[in-house]
Amino acid sequence: MTCKAASIVLSCLVSSLLAGFLVLTSSPAGAGTLIVNARIVDGSGLPARPGAVRVAGERIVAVGEIPLARGDTVLDARGMVLAPGFIDTHSHAVDTTGAGERTLGKLPEAIAAVSQGITTAVVGADGSSSLPLSVAFSELERARPAINVATYVGHGTIRLRVMGEDYRRAATAQEIETMRGHVARAMEEGALGLSSGLEYDPGIYSSREEVLALAQESARHGGRYASHIRSEDRDLWEAIEEVIAIGRDTRRPVHISHMKLGMKAVWGQDEKFVGMLDAARREGIDISGDVYPYDFWQTTLVAMFPQRNLTSVAEARASLDDIAVADGIRLTIFTPEPALVGRTLAEIAAERREDPALTLTKLASAAAQAGQDDLATMAGMSQQDVDALILWPQANVCSDGSLVDGHPRGAGTFAKIFRYYVREQKLLTLEQAVHKVSALAAQNAGLRERGRVQAGYFADLVLFDPAALTDRATAREPQLLSTGMSKVWVNGGLVYDDGRATGVRTGRILRSH
Ligand SMILES: [Zn+2]
C-alpha cells in the first residue's frame, strides 16, 4: 500500500515536473507574467470564469488553470476582471482635424485612451487619413505609441489630393482612375480598407459611382468599407441604402460609423434603422456599425449647411429647427475667435442681439473663409435611440474622439459603457459590454488575433474592477480622465498601472497583411 501510494505520488511528481518543464520550454523562464486569481471575461460574450492567464513576450500563451513555472512573475488580480484590451473602431487619435499637437505622435502615452482601457485605435475615419500611409506609419513608429493603431485610407483625403481645390463637382473618369491608384497603394501599405465622410467636404460632392469604384478597389485587395454616411438626419434612409448597396456590390464587409438618428423627425425610428441592416444581413451582406454612448455629437459648423449656402439664414434656421437647437450647440474649437470656445450659439447670439440663425451663418462663414478650424458639440439625438442602436447585436462601441477632445467621448466613452449601460441602466451584462468593446470590435474592423483572451492572441489586456470603472468627462469638462482602470497591457507590455502611464510604450502599427 505504502509502496503503491509512494509510486502514485512519484508519478504525480514526475507528471507535474513534466508539465512544469513543458511550460518552461514554451515560455522561457523569467519571461512570463502569470496573472492569477482573475475573473476572466474573454470577449466572446460567454460568462466570466475564474482563472489565470500567462503572458510571454507579446502573446497570451495560456488561459485557465495554469501551474506556476520557474521564473514567472506572478500578479494577483485579486478577483478583478481580466478582459481583452478595448478596440476603438472610430478614433481621431491620429489625424489633423483641429488636433495639431494633440495627436498620438505627440502624445504617445495616449493617457486619455489607456485610462479607459483602449489598446487599439482604428484611425483614418470619416474619409480623412494620412497619405501616403507608409510615411505616416514610419513617423508613428518613431514616436513609439503606447497603443496599437490600424487605419483606413480616407476617400476625402484622396479626392482632395487628386482634385485639389476644384472638388465641388463630380470627378471625371480619369480622376476616379487616379483615385483608384491611391486606394490600391494604401491597401498594399496595410490599410484596413476605405473610409468615407460623405457629409463633409470634399466627400459630399462625390457621386455614388465614384465611392463605389473606390470601395471596389479596396475590396479587390481584401479591404472593407467604413462610412460616415451621406446624411445622418434628413436623408438618413437613402444614406443607409448607399452603404448597403456598396456591401452588395463589393461582397466585402461594410460598416456604418457612429450610427445615429440625428434629427427629431427620425427620433424613435431605431427599429427601422436596424431593420434595414438586419434585412441586408439576411441577404448575405456583412454590415455592421459602431456607436458612441452620448446623445450629442461634435462636428463643424459648416455641416449645419447641407447645401453649403453658408450665408443662407434660411438654411441655418432649418438646421436649427430640425437638427440641433441653438442652446444645444457649444463651440469646442473656434480658431477665428478662440474666446468663443465654451459658449453656446444661443449665448453668442443673445450677446450680439441677433437671430441665432444669422449668428450661425456668420460663425460658419468666418471659419470656412479663413480655412480655419471650428468644432462644436451639438445636442441632436435622443438617449433612447442611442441605447437602442448600441444594443443592436452587430453594433460595437467607438469613441469618435481624440486624445484631447472638446467632447467627453475622447476621454470617457469606454468607461461610460461600464458605468451607464452595465451598472446603472443594466442594459448590457458585463460580458456583453466586453464583447462589444473587444471581440466584436475586432471583427467589425477586420483585426486578427486581437479582441479575445485566448492562447495565441496578442496580449492586449485590461484589468479592472467593474464596480469602479467610471467616466468623468462631461460637456463642460470634456478632458477629465476615466478612473477605475487598474492595469493595461499592450502586446504584453504594461503601459498603464493604477492611474499612471508607466512609460512602457509597446503599441504597433497593425497592417492588414
Ligand atoms: Zn464621423
Side-chain angles (χ1 to χ4, degrees):
M1 281 293 281
T2 46
C3 185
K4 196 175 176 189
S7 77
I8 289 169
V9 169
L10 188 63
S11 75
C12 282
L13 188 62
V14 167
S15 65
S16 68
L17 277 173
L18 195 60
F21 175 74
L22 289 172
V23 169
L24 280 171
T25 51
S26 64
S27 62
T33 299
L34 187 65
I35 306 166
V36 300
N37 195 20
R39 188 176 162 207
I40 300 170
V41 180
D42 69 4
S44 67
L46 292 173
R49 62 189 197 276
V53 168
R54 172 173 283 120
V55 173
E58 64 191 17
R59 302 262 183 179
I60 298 165
V61 293
V63 179
E65 276 184 48
I66 310 169
L68 183 66
R70 187 153 26 94
D72 270 343
T73 304
V74 178
L75 181 101
D76 186 352
R78 292 178 288 121
M80 282 193 282
V81 165
L82 186 65
F86 304 161
I87 296 170
D88 185 352
T89 55
H90 188 106
S91 164
H92 294 287
V94 178
D95 73 6
T96 52
T97 314
E101 296 294 297
R102 300 164 163 197
T103 65
L104 188 59
K106 295 281 168 36
L107 300 168
E109 290 180 339
I111 196 78
V114 293
S115 54
Q116 45 177 324
I118 295 170
T119 55
T120 296
V122 177
V123 304
D126 295 326
S128 174
S129 72
S130 306
L131 196 73
L133 292 182
S134 52
V135 174
F137 283 169
S138 347
E139 277 173 18
L140 209 48
E141 272 164 351
R142 271 198 299 280
R144 293 190 301 110
I147 58 172
N148 301 312
V149 175
T151 188
Y152 289 96
V153 66
H155 163 242
T157 303
I158 291 176
R159 193 167 206 270
L160 209 53
R161 184 68 57 90
V162 172
M163 299 176 75
E165 283 306 303
D166 180 26
Y167 63 74
R168 290 178 184 80
R169 59 174 173 84
T172 64
Q174 181 54 50
E175 284 165 337
I176 294 174
E177 226 16 65
T178 311
M179 290 184 211
R180 263 185 187 273
H182 283 288
V183 174
R185 178 173 170 193
M187 290 308 301
E188 281 154 17
E189 290 173 334
L192 298 173
L194 180 74
S195 83
S196 67
L198 302 180
E199 215 175 19
Y200 294 125
D201 286 19
I204 193 169
Y205 297 100
S206 61
S207 66
R208 277 192 176 205
E209 292 66 33
E210 170 186 331
V211 178
L212 176 61
L214 301 185
Q216 280 167 337
E217 187 62 32
S218 153
R220 217 164 60 79
H221 298 263
R224 52 193 56 231
Y225 174 71
S227 183
H228 173 141
I229 58 181
R230 245 178 237 280
S231 168
E232 297 181 322
D233 38 72
R234 294 187 183 95
D235 299 312
L236 174 66
W237 312 119
E238 293 91 319
I240 295 172
E241 278 297 349
E242 181 177 7
V243 187
I244 292 173
I246 288 174
R248 186 179 293 122
D249 274 328
T250 60
R251 298 164 186 261
R252 288 288 301 153
V254 292
H255 187 76
I256 299 181
S257 297
H258 44 61
M259 299 193 293
K260 63 173 74 83
L261 291 144
M263 77 187 288
K264 285 192 201 91
V266 293
W267 283 7
Q269 299 195 45
D270 52 277
E271 283 181 17
K272 178 172 177 184
F273 194 126
V274 301
M276 287 172 77
L277 306 186
D278 283 332
R281 290 186 66 84
R282 280 195 298 276
E283 194 191 319
I285 297 165
D286 184 353
I287 189 163
S288 60
D290 51 33
V291 185
Y292 54 81
Y294 296 88
D295 62 1
F296 55 101
W297 62 82
Q298 179 175 248
T299 191
T300 61
L301 295 175
V302 171
M304 290 290 272
F305 297 82
Q307 308 301 320
R308 293 295 187 269
N309 300 318
L310 301 189
T311 54
S312 166
V313 175
E315 192 173 346
R317 188 170 294 128
S319 284
L320 292 176
D321 287 345
D322 297 344
I323 313 285
V325 295
D327 64 5
I329 298 178
R330 185 184 301 277
L331 296 181
T332 53
I333 295 177
F334 196 68
T335 320
E337 202 178 336
L340 297 182
V341 168
R343 318 273 301 281
T344 67
L345 178 63
E347 288 164 358
I348 298 166
E351 198 163 279
R352 296 180 175 184
R353 297 167 193 276
E354 281 176 356
D355 173 358
L358 177 63
T359 310
L360 180 57
T361 64
K362 290 180 178 176
L363 296 180
S365 301
Q369 277 164 16
Q372 286 175 316
D373 293 322
D374 74 284
L375 279 177
T377 51
M378 300 185 184
M381 292 180 263
S382 97
Q383 188 63 51
Q384 288 93 319
D385 290 342
V386 176
D387 297 349
L389 293 176
I390 282 189
L391 293 185
W392 183 51
Q394 306 303 325
N396 67 277
V397 176
C398 72
S399 76
D400 197 9
S402 57
L403 294 174
V404 183
D405 205 313
H407 188 297
R409 64 196 181 188
T413 289
F414 288 80
K416 182 171 180 180
I417 293 295
F418 292 88
R419 172 183 63 80
Y420 179 82
Y421 287 98
V422 178
R423 286 209 300 277
E424 295 176 3
Q425 302 297 317
K426 299 184 170 46
L427 291 171
L428 292 172
T429 65
L430 172 67
E431 290 85 352
Q432 286 169 332
V434 168
H435 176 65
K436 280 184 183 289
V437 299
S438 59
L440 183 62
Q443 183 187 316
N444 290 352
L447 300 173
R448 291 183 308 269
E449 298 179 308
R450 304 207 181 250
R452 284 178 194 267
V453 180
Q454 187 175 313
Y457 271 50
F458 286 97
D460 295 345
L461 294 165
V462 293
L463 183 68
F464 65 100
D465 173 0
L469 184 58
T470 295
D471 58 308
R472 295 188 307 142
T474 62
R476 285 186 179 275
E477 294 186 281
Q479 282 145 29
L480 288 180
L481 298 178
S482 298
T483 54
M485 182 55 69
S486 178
K487 294 184 196 306
V488 179
W489 291 265
V490 176
N491 298 308
L494 182 66
V495 301
Y496 182 83
D497 193 4
D498 284 325
R500 304 222 329 261
T502 61
V504 172
R505 306 204 305 262
T506 40
R508 299 242 174 93
I509 307 293
L510 308 184
R511 293 173 177 81
S512 58
H513 47 75

